[in-house]
Amino acid sequence: MKKIVFFLKENKKTLLTLFIVAIFTDILFLNKSSDLIIFSILILYPFFIKIFELKSKLTFLLCLALLTAMFFSYLFTGTSAPTEKAAVWLILFLIIGIIQQWRE
């Protein structure tokens, strides 16, 4: 178990980048909304918070990126599936960020 945690901590930037890419892939490229994808990513994020000791500042930075994605999606496509997905991700990560900030 210690080897797994050490491996995860050594590859922190790579794993967080893949995590963010997974979210934006869901928003931009997947036409169908899947609760399995949403909840699997949401279960991973508190695990990452615990292992990597992430601060709420990073979560709110992700929220800002999601808000920007939502804005540009709305600007170019109107009220479409990617815009709604970005809004859902934004709300979910805002809730996580508020809880995280409250715990800090």
Side-chain angles (χ1 to χ4, degrees), residues 21-60:
V21 166
I23 292 170
F24 281 98
T25 300
D26 179 50
I27 292 171
L28 298 174
F29 300 115
L30 298 179
N31 294 332
K32 203 172 181 185
S33 181
S34 172
D35 291 339
L36 181 65
I37 294 171
I38 292 173
F39 289 121
S40 61
I41 291 175
L42 286 178
I43 289 171
L44 275 178
Y45 195 66
F47 177 72
F48 283 168
I49 290 171
K50 182 85 170 163
I51 295 281
F52 300 142
E53 299 171 357
L54 302 176
K55 300 293 181 191
S56 61
K57 190 178 202 178
L58 184 66
T59 304
F60 288 124

Side-chain angles (χ1 to χ4, degrees), residues 7-33:
F7 174 77
L8 291 174
K9 285 187 178 183
E10 286 294 315
N11 297 309
K12 175 182 175 179
K13 290 181 181 179
T14 305
L15 289 171
L16 288 176
T17 303
L18 287 174
F19 182 79
I20 292 170
V21 166
I23 292 170
F24 281 98
T25 300
D26 179 50
I27 292 171
L28 298 174
F29 300 115
L30 298 179
N31 294 332
K32 203 172 181 185
S33 181

